[in-house]
């Protein structure tokens, strides 16, 4: 391995970033895998959720029943971000026409969502970061072979 202290510090920094990306991907994949049962909501009320001054999304507040017990949940639809509030309010009536399903965890129905989306971006980013780290690790060994 390359003995340069700066190179080793760089590798440690890259490894910590790899761990962060991997942890994020694992956490989101775990949350995705928990949503295994699906039912229809008894009611959905749509609101506007302000993420920042110029980012707005729709948020669905819903109720659903599992084994005779009623549960509540809310899901912000972050896949379509709007730049102003009135654009979201204009699209809210369209959401009532969509047939929604509620995904939930059968062992804990309090954990639910209107969307079940696999975290492709996070997983691909983690894989890319691992490849990049392994490349830098290989590069350190490769360079040290010619320095001795």
């Amino acid at each position: 391995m390359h003995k340069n202290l700066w190179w080793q510090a760089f590798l440690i920094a890259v490894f910590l970033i790899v761990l962060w990306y991997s942890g994020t991907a694992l956490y989101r994949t775990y949350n995705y895998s928990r949503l295994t049962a699906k039912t229809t909501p008894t009611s959905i009320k749509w609101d506007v959720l302000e993420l920042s001054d110029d980012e707005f999304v729709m948020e669905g507040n819903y109720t659903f029943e599992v084994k005779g017990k009623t549960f509540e949940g809310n899901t912000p639809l972050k896949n379509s971000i709007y730049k102003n509030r009135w654009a979201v309010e204009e699209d809210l009536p369209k959401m009532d026409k969509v047939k929604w399903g509620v995904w939930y965890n059968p062992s804990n129905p309090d954990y639910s969502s209107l969307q079940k989306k696999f975290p492709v971006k996070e997983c691909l980013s983690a894989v890319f970061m691992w490849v990049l780290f392994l490349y830098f690790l290989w590069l350190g060994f490769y360079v040290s072979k010619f320095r001795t």
Side-chain angles (χ1 to χ4, degrees):
M1 174 55 123
H2 198 16
K3 301 286 188 216
N4 187 329
L5 187 60
W6 288 105
W7 180 254
Q8 292 175 349
F10 172 72
L11 278 180
I12 290 171
V14 170
F15 184 68
L16 291 175
I17 293 169
V18 168
L19 289 179
W20 176 261
Y21 274 82
S22 299
T24 301
L26 287 172
Y27 176 73
R28 293 197 178 167
T29 302
Y30 171 71
N31 283 338
Y32 170 83
S33 68
R34 288 181 5 183
L35 300 173
T36 56
K38 186 177 181 181
T39 188
T40 56
T42 53
S43 69
I44 300 179
K45 181 180 177 291
W46 294 98
D47 291 321
V48 179
L49 178 65
E50 183 175 349
L51 300 177
S52 67
D53 288 340
D54 62 346
E55 289 185 340
F56 299 87
V57 295
M58 294 181 204
E59 180 180 45
N61 298 305
Y62 54 90
T63 59
F64 64 101
E65 286 190 20
V66 176
K67 297 178 184 172
K69 189 172 179 189
T70 303
F71 295 92
E72 296 179 359
N74 63 339
T75 301
L77 303 180
K78 293 186 179 179
N79 57 346
S80 55
I81 296 176
Y82 296 83
K83 294 293 180 190
N84 48 41
R85 180 177 290 275
W86 65 265
V88 181
E89 290 171 350
E90 189 176 274
D91 282 351
L92 283 178
K94 296 177 188 175
M95 301 310 286
D96 292 329
K97 297 175 184 168
V98 177
K99 185 171 176 148
W100 291 94
V102 176
W103 291 93
Y104 66 94
N105 183 350
S107 61
N108 181 14
D110 285 324
Y111 181 71
S112 62
S113 178
L114 290 174
Q115 292 181 320
K116 183 179 179 181
K117 184 180 171 195
F118 186 77
V120 175
K121 177 185 166 197
E122 290 82 358
C123 291
L124 288 177
S125 296
V127 167
F128 175 75
M129 291 303 295
W130 274 106
V131 168
L132 190 65
F133 174 71
L134 292 174
Y135 169 74
F136 285 139
L137 196 63
W138 170 83
L139 192 62
F141 283 110
Y142 183 77
V143 169
S144 68
K145 195 165 49 170
F146 292 108
R147 294 192 114 210
T148 57

